[in-house]
Amino acid sequence: MNLSFAGCGFLGIYHVGVACCFRKYAPHLLLDKISGASAGAIAACCLICDLPIGDMTSDVLRVCTEARSRSLGAFSPSFNIHRLLLENLEKFLPEDAHVRCTGKLHVSLTRMHDGKNVVMSQFDSREELIQALLASAFIPIFSGLIPPKFKGVRYMDGGYSDNLPTLDENTITVSPFCGESDICPRDDSSQLFHINIANTSIELSKHNMYRIVRILFPPRPEVLSNMCKQGFDDALRFLHRNNLINCTRCLAVQSTFVVSETLDEDLEYDPQCKECKLHRQEALVSNVPESVLSKFQEAIDKANHGLLHWLFKHRGMKLLSVLTLPYTLPADVMYATFTKFRTYSTNRGSLIVYRDSARYDFVNFIGEIYESKSYELGLRGNAVLIPPYFSCSRHLCTRRFMVAAPQMGNGVWELSKVFMDKLSYLLNKINRKRQQLSAKITCQLAITEYDKYDVESCQDLKSENKMNLNFTLKLEDSDLPLTQSPVRRFKTKEILQRKPSFTVNRTDTLDNDTFDHILQVTSQHDTIMAYYYLDENNKVKVTEIFDVSNSDSPIVQTSHEKLANRNLEFDDNWQDEIDADWNGQDSNSADGASQYDIDEILDREPIFSDPESEWTGSFKIDEPEEFCSADDHRPESERPRQEKFEQEQKEKVAA
Amino acid sequence: MRLLNKLFLFFAIPCLNAVSRVYCAVVITVLSWVSPNWLSWNKYSESMLRSLEKRILSIVKTPHKGFFVDIGPVVGPADKIWTISLNVESPKTPLVLLHGLGAGVALWCLNLDAFANTRPVYAIDLLGFGRSSRPNFSTNSQEAEQQLVRAVEEWRKELKLKEFILLGHSMGGFLAASYALSYPDQVKHLILADPWGFPERPTEYKEVPLWIKTIAYVMKPFNPLAGIRAAGPLGPWFINRIRPDISRKYALALDDSKLITDYIYQCNCQNPSGESAFHAMMSDFGWAKNPMVNRIDKLKPEVPITLLYGSRSWIDHSASDIIKEKRMKSFFKLQVVTGAGHHVYADKPEAFNQIVLDACQSVDSLINSDDSNVQYVEESDEPESDSKQ
């Protein structure tokens, strides 16, 4: 079964909810092709690249709050959705995103010159993938004037031609508008009229009218949170209605081949599995994962605090901000023109140029002082909130720094900053030597601030990086141009590249969605067992069972489980060691130990064949620990017998 | 002059909600501007509708006959109902098809062959729709409903059909159920395909912003498809813009995808009397004033019901549970067609035809068993076992 996500602008938060549910309860549905347009394409890409949902959420929320902070919303000239998306995609997508997405991700685009729909699924590089996603989300005039190029042709938002690309008959369609889609909100209003725009069916109800407006005007974080929950619930309802929820421990991945034509295409599962039933019941009452909810709470709190919000809570203030629009708008427009000019001048060719320009901007002296200032501010406030990537932190910091300043002041201030940036950029272009000089200065600044750490030793740095995100950030900012040897530079880059993966892990441990690993497990491991059988409808059914306990990927298991499993692993290794070393030294104990091991392995084997009894007792985990701890106290010859005795007892109890 | 009079009349009345009345006046004037009398804004022509219908129905392989049935003064002075008949020689129980809002007989083109293979089939344009005559219906919801139902009954009398299987889609489903309530003896089986007007309007709403309510209020007095008529010559283009999916459903069978759009436009750009009747039966954007779930228990238990839904349809499926509950003792079968939307007969024609034919088959077997003096009650137990869900 394929998935298809509708394009929907800021309503993309609905897709986050749906993605959450699929990750949690039906990861096997994510193995096939996923298509989408605009925001849907980005959601599809995130799902394929296995990005943590928490990050996706905070990402969407950040863009929304960014848009809401302006008096004209997303339509403010200085709000550059294109750049925000670019930054976020650059930041979060893994290096091999294009490899993962090729053939799986299908992005719907509208060709600029003839308005025809094009579905892309071949991406040669990460830049190309990002470019395709951006093109798919490009609304002319709203996002910019010149549509982006992809493989030499200019494209715009896929929503103009095919907003809900379906690849075949068995496509599950996801749309945040109530209408004729598999997963969509069900409104309690209209019962008759609906329209079909660009393949997305939209019922003409009051709620849909509200949603349509919210495509480009992001609502409050509270409303976004509700939309996300709605997505989760709708997806869950769909999965439940179609019996697509399976249990994860026995992880039966089922495929069906239709031998002869049958009407019924529903996937069926083994109805006997108790755990599946339990899982389904649990799913019925479940809610959006805590990790996502916490992100929402954060955003809501952030929106409801601060001086600006307090001021603008009052209607009078709102009116005032609208009335002063004629005065603030020109400044905003001016500022926007400058920033746009800057981005275009650097962004025209490729994304690499954009990155370089960011670096140039950074290197200049004035910019540096400003950055370090705002950075310090951020540090004092809340260290965790600062994202690791420079460009984004700059964003956040400027917001934070000027949260109390009125919009007008913002514009002027940023304008002057941009002007200075521009000037220094030009200077840099003229004189490259000077640029290097200034770079040195910045780095020294960094050292004096953090004299505790030794920049020279890279090993130390690595370990510090892990613990202190802020420090990494600083490093990346300065980009260490003072280390002139290419080797050193490479190493720092390595650190930088590794860093996002670190944050991913961190959020994952916070996440409760332990189910995305199933995908990983199925792709990495062989099955323990597979049944092939022909049912009465002439369908060949395949059920594959995977062993989850042995996969050592960190996200598959909780830290506790992992520890236990590692102990088990040591046990196995230990036996080899015994065979190699101990055999010659002490034959008695070696015999005993090896015998024990065989017994233990025999005991362990039913784990796979009998999934229900497998995880009930903790004795499997306890054994090796006891065994290891007993190493010091007891004579070795006694151990196995004791163990065996205990096992026998337990078996008796179990019987 | 007439117009001025009208406006004056409204202003003269000292009323409580003056604003809403002024608004009504504006709406009426706007409607009178776009009415066909004035400069022929819309492009309706009887001959065009006829030729379009003929071309669409040319894909039906079974020989068919189209004719007007004169049902006399039911609503207007002399009402006619446009009828398509197929395979009338067959002795089996005939199948009668009632279309949905804004549709016509031609939209059944993907299903007629399959139905006509086994039995006589009659498809009609409901009074006030398609090519049938368009008298002005009552503005009272119950009266309008009764008028529409009585037109069907008169039509049946005119054709001298003793009993038949009644299949209705969307609004046609509502009317079919209403017909079965009034004349249960004629209906051997009631097949409802994604019927409209069954669930009750929920008492509590999710709150929407004020400006949405304002828009909704402004839209209220308009007929559902007024936009198509207001678009005038752009109507077909407009339909194609907002509902490209309809012509796409027929793309496999029909070479010219414009046919369906044009046909729908021609059906709906005439005097919208049937639509007004529907508007009268409806309250607040698509809910029925007299929802069918409240009345379905009054239906004679002998009438078997097959309920069909498209799995993607936005029609509220909750009504099916209530019907099932209320009709414990009689035949009730629920079928959900996966992958189909509201237009289930065009989305998945094969699956739809199969379900309908199965239902018809059960009627045939019932009649045979009646001949052999087996009591009906016995039969009613059997279907319950195979009813889904």
Side-chain angles (χ1 to χ4, degrees), chain B residues 231-249:
Chain B
L234 294 174
W237 173 85
F238 182 62
I239 293 175
N240 213 18
R241 272 322 285 180
I242 63 167
R243 291 304 300 271
D245 57 319
I246 294 186
S247 49
R248 217 177 296 141
K249 294 180 209 297

Side-chain angles (χ1 to χ4, degrees), chain A residues 435-448:
Chain A
Q435 168 225 331
Q436 273 188 348
L437 199 73
S438 62
K440 269 183 189 171
I441 293 166
T442 58
C443 213
Q444 277 170 348
L445 269 174
I447 294 163
T448 45

Side-chain angles (χ1 to χ4, degrees), chain A residues 169 171 179-182 186-196 199 203 206-207 209-210 213 230, chain B residues 101 206 208-209 211-212 224 241-245 248 278 285-287 312-316 341-342 348:
Chain A
E169 284 273 289
T171 307
E180 289 193 346
S181 308
D182 286 318
R186 293 268 174 236
D187 289 344
D188 50 5
S189 49
S190 173
Q191 289 280 305
L192 198 69
F193 324 115
H194 86 139
I195 55 173
N196 191 300
N199 208 15
E203 192 186 302
K206 290 174 193 167
H207 296 281
M209 269 193 259
Y210 176 76
V213 170
Q230 171 101 56
Chain B
L101 177 73
K206 277 187 272 175
V208 287
W211 59 271
I212 295 280
R241 272 322 285 180
I242 63 167
R243 291 304 300 271
D245 57 319
R248 217 177 296 141
F278 175 77
F285 286 97
W287 295 101
R312 283 183 189 163
S313 169
W314 73 96
I315 290 269
D316 196 348
H342 178 58
K348 299 272 172 194

Side-chain angles (χ1 to χ4, degrees), chain B residues 4-310:
Chain B
L4 270 174
N5 268 343
K6 221 177 234 173
L7 274 174
F8 185 71
L9 194 78
F10 275 113
F11 280 123
I13 301 166
C15 55
L16 288 166
N17 46 3
V19 183
S20 68
R21 277 177 192 269
V22 167
Y23 172 69
C24 283
V26 171
V27 168
I28 288 164
T29 45
V30 167
L31 285 179
S32 67
W33 286 340
V34 294
S35 71
N37 312 333
W38 196 74
L39 244 176
S40 76
W41 170 251
N42 68 40
K43 300 292 168 203
Y44 169 66
S45 86
E46 168 66 36
S47 58
M48 196 158 169
L49 179 55
R50 193 175 58 222
S51 74
L52 280 170
E53 190 192 277
K54 208 171 166 188
R55 280 172 69 191
I56 295 171
L57 287 178
S58 66
I59 64 161
V60 178
K61 297 194 179 60
T62 325
H64 53 273
K65 196 174 94 177
F67 51 94
F68 283 104
V69 176
D70 217 326
I71 57 169
V74 176
V75 183
D79 294 328
K80 292 194 185 83
I81 284 197
W82 177 249
T83 311
I84 301 281
S85 66
L86 302 94
N87 193 17
V88 276
E89 289 79 27
S90 169
K92 285 185 179 168
T93 321
L95 175 67
V96 175
L97 309 177
L98 305 182
H99 62 79
L101 177 73
V105 286
L107 294 192
W108 296 109
C109 63
L110 300 177
N111 318 96
L112 288 175
D113 271 332
F115 298 161
N117 258 341
T118 55
R119 64 191 64 252
V121 176
Y122 296 92
I124 63 169
D125 278 341
L126 290 164
L127 195 62
F129 292 92
R131 293 180 66 187
S132 299
S133 46
R134 294 174 174 243
N136 285 323
F137 290 89
S138 162
T139 48
N140 178 293
S141 67
Q142 284 180 357
E143 271 177 46
E145 188 187 320
Q146 278 313 310
Q147 281 173 333
L148 281 164
V149 166
R150 213 169 62 238
V152 178
E153 170 64 6
E154 290 301 322
W155 169 85
R156 182 196 68 81
K157 280 181 186 158
E158 204 60 41
L159 279 191
K160 301 187 178 64
L161 299 176
K162 212 175 91 207
E163 48 197 18
F164 52 79
I165 302 158
L166 194 52
L167 162 58
H169 168 252
S170 191
M171 182 195 72
F174 178 77
L175 292 176
S178 178
Y179 180 88
L181 275 172
S182 306
Y183 310 98
D185 299 331
Q186 275 79 39
V187 182
K188 296 307 286 179
H189 198 117
L190 188 58
I191 305 171
L192 306 168
D194 238 50
W196 170 82
F198 272 68
E200 202 162 5
R201 185 180 159 187
T203 44
E204 53 193 43
Y205 280 108
K206 277 187 272 175
E207 202 46 48
V208 287
L210 184 72
W211 59 271
I212 295 280
K213 279 185 196 155
T214 320
I215 293 177
Y217 183 76
V218 171
M219 299 301 287
K220 231 175 196 172
F222 286 101
N223 272 330
L225 300 172
I228 292 171
R229 284 180 292 278
L234 294 174
W237 173 85
F238 182 62
I239 293 175
N240 213 18
R241 272 322 285 180
I242 63 167
R243 291 304 300 271
D245 57 319
I246 294 186
S247 49
R248 217 177 296 141
K249 294 180 209 297
Y250 292 90
L252 276 180
L254 288 168
D255 304 327
D256 190 0
S257 63
K258 267 197 80 197
L259 279 178
I260 292 288
T261 334
D262 287 345
Y263 176 75
I264 291 174
Y265 175 69
Q266 289 294 342
C267 279
N268 292 299
C269 66
Q270 310 168 52
N271 176 26
S273 76
E275 237 176 279
S276 302
F278 175 77
H279 196 249
M281 292 191 290
M282 170 190 93
S283 78
D284 193 40
F285 286 97
W287 295 101
K289 274 189 185 149
N290 289 319
M292 206 44 86
V293 279
N294 297 343
R295 300 185 264 165
I296 202 77
D297 47 344
K298 296 194 184 79
L299 179 60
K300 261 175 125 181
E302 285 81 14
V303 182
I305 299 179
T306 298
L307 190 56
L308 268 159
Y309 279 124

Side-chain angles (χ1 to χ4, degrees), chain A residues 166-399:
Chain A
T166 45
L167 300 170
D168 64 355
E169 284 273 289
N170 287 336
T171 307
I172 302 170
T173 49
V174 182
S175 156
F177 307 104
C178 174
E180 289 193 346
S181 308
D182 286 318
I183 299 177
C184 64
R186 293 268 174 236
D187 289 344
D188 50 5
S189 49
S190 173
Q191 289 280 305
L192 198 69
F193 324 115
H194 86 139
I195 55 173
N196 191 300
I197 293 170
N199 208 15
T200 316
S201 128
I202 300 173
E203 192 186 302
L204 286 182
S205 69
K206 290 174 193 167
H207 296 281
N208 268 351
M209 269 193 259
Y210 176 76
R211 290 192 190 106
I212 287 169
V213 170
R214 288 306 179 196
I215 292 175
L216 291 180
F217 295 91
R220 278 174 292 125
E222 290 93 327
V223 182
L224 288 173
S225 166
N226 283 340
M227 278 178 181
C228 182
K229 271 180 210 156
Q230 171 101 56
F232 188 85
D233 294 343
D234 290 333
L236 204 58
R237 202 182 48 206
F238 172 81
L239 291 177
H240 195 74
R241 214 173 41 212
N242 292 287
N243 286 330
L244 290 170
I245 300 174
N246 285 324
C247 82
T248 45
R249 283 297 184 209
C250 68
L251 186 59
V253 174
Q254 298 180 331
S255 352
T256 311
F257 306 106
V258 180
V259 174
S260 67
E261 270 192 353
T262 43
L263 268 172
D264 195 345
E265 283 155 346
D266 276 355
L267 282 178
E268 274 169 5
Y269 57 95
D270 177 24
Q272 304 304 321
C273 178
K274 271 182 196 163
E275 215 153 333
C276 283
K277 271 183 191 161
L278 205 75
H279 196 61
R280 246 171 288 131
Q281 274 166 4
E282 175 200 293
L284 270 185
V285 292
S286 74
N287 207 341
V288 186
E290 196 53 43
S291 58
V292 176
L293 284 181
S294 66
K295 287 283 185 330
F296 277 115
Q297 202 48 50
E298 227 167 69
I300 292 169
D301 289 346
K302 220 160 112 189
N304 289 341
H305 286 118
L307 193 63
L308 212 64
H309 174 262
W310 181 79
L311 269 175
F312 277 86
K313 211 166 54 185
H314 305 289
R315 294 220 161 182
M317 225 26 218
K318 262 183 206 160
L319 193 71
L320 204 70
S321 80
V322 173
L323 286 179
T324 52
L325 216 55
Y327 306 100
T328 53
L329 201 60
D332 212 24
V333 169
M334 274 253 282
Y335 165 62
T337 341
F338 266 101
T339 37
K340 280 218 172 117
F341 173 61
R342 186 182 59 164
T343 5
Y344 276 124
S345 66
T346 54
N347 198 20
R348 185 156 287 165
S350 70
L351 291 157
I352 300 144
V353 182
Y354 175 82
R355 264 196 233 150
D356 282 352
S357 79
R359 213 165 283 157
Y360 283 138
D361 279 350
F362 188 73
V363 162
N364 78 72
F365 192 61
I366 303 150
E368 178 55 33
I369 285 177
Y370 163 68
E371 282 303 331
S372 55
K373 259 189 188 170
S374 60
Y375 172 65
E376 273 170 13
L377 198 84
L379 191 80
R380 229 175 289 138
N382 189 349
V384 191
L385 269 180
I386 293 170
Y389 200 70
F390 144 65
S391 50
C392 215
S393 81
R394 185 175 64 172
H395 237 74
L396 216 99
C397 289
T398 45
R399 292 274 108 225

